[in-house]
Amino acid sequence: MAYETYQVVTGTVMAIQDMENDCCSKIISISDRGREVQFVVSGRTLVINNTTLRRGMRVAAFYDANLPTPAIYPPRYQAEIVTMLWRNQSVALAYFDENLLAADQSLQLNLDRQVKITTANGQSYSCSPGNAELLVYYTAVTRSIPPMTTPQKIIVLCPE
């Protein structure tokens, strides 16, 4: 699956409510620097580590910007991927080439033996993570062009 049309909203979960007439879906409200954004989290949403979402939790929610969205306020998107974030942690979703450079050249990865690399279902990944769609968790980046980081964790989004 190609993730280049995905956008991310990072913020704090302010509310979680049941979706009307759909017991398998929830609406989560995220506060992103004072701006509220709502996401539908359905049974097909990939919630990393199957984390139970809670009020006050810091998350990153990815949605496909090419999908139609209702013209309502606050905006409401279908969440494709939701992941919990620790304090000062950032996440990037992109295709990384064999040199671990993001396709849009927004991030260069430097790996060390401490980096945990898994698949989306939590299995260890023993191959090189290059030439794949990656969900990369990191804290610090250099001020170089492109910015470089040694990630804390990488999730390889294997093709289905």
Side-chain angles (χ1 to χ4, degrees):
M1 173 176 247
Y3 298 98
E4 57 268 350
T5 61
Y6 281 27
Q7 298 293 313
V8 64
V9 174
T10 302
T12 303
V13 175
M14 302 307 292
I16 301 173
Q17 63 191 55
D18 291 331
M19 185 96 174
E20 192 173 313
N21 300 323
D22 183 355
C23 296
C24 290
S25 299
K26 301 279 187 195
I27 297 174
I28 62 168
S29 298
I30 297 174
S31 175
D32 176 27
R33 288 172 264 180
R35 179 181 75 124
E36 181 182 351
V37 180
Q38 293 182 343
F39 286 93
V40 175
V41 177
S42 68
R44 69 179 190 87
T45 302
L46 173 60
V47 179
I48 301 298
N49 296 328
N50 292 318
T51 303
T52 300
L53 302 174
R54 293 186 176 92
R55 240 178 129 241
M57 182 180 281
R58 188 166 174 267
V59 298
F62 293 87
Y63 66 95
D64 188 340
N66 283 349
L67 292 179
T69 57
I72 60 173
Y73 184 82
R76 181 180 295 171
Y77 304 106
Q78 171 63 49
E80 300 296 331
I81 301 172
V82 178
T83 186
M84 185 188 85
L85 297 176
W86 298 108
R87 180 183 212 155
N88 299 323
Q89 190 176 49
S90 297
V91 66
L93 173 64
Y95 177 84
F96 286 81
D97 67 16
E98 68 276 357
N99 298 315
L100 299 176
L101 177 63
D104 63 0
Q105 299 188 352
S106 62
L107 194 61
Q108 172 75 53
L109 305 181
N110 296 317
L111 298 186
D112 65 19
R113 294 190 181 273
Q114 307 282 329
V115 178
K116 182 178 181 182
I117 305 174
T118 67
T119 60
N121 65 6
Q123 305 306 303
S124 71
Y125 188 84
S126 56
C127 299
S128 168
N131 291 320
E133 300 279 352
L134 305 177
L135 191 60
V136 179
Y137 298 80
Y138 61 95
T139 53
V141 294
T142 64
R143 293 182 185 235
S144 62
I145 298 177
M148 291 187 260
T149 189
T150 301
Q152 298 166 313
K153 178 178 165 183
I154 296 174
I155 296 177
V156 180
L157 299 171
C158 300
E160 294 178 5

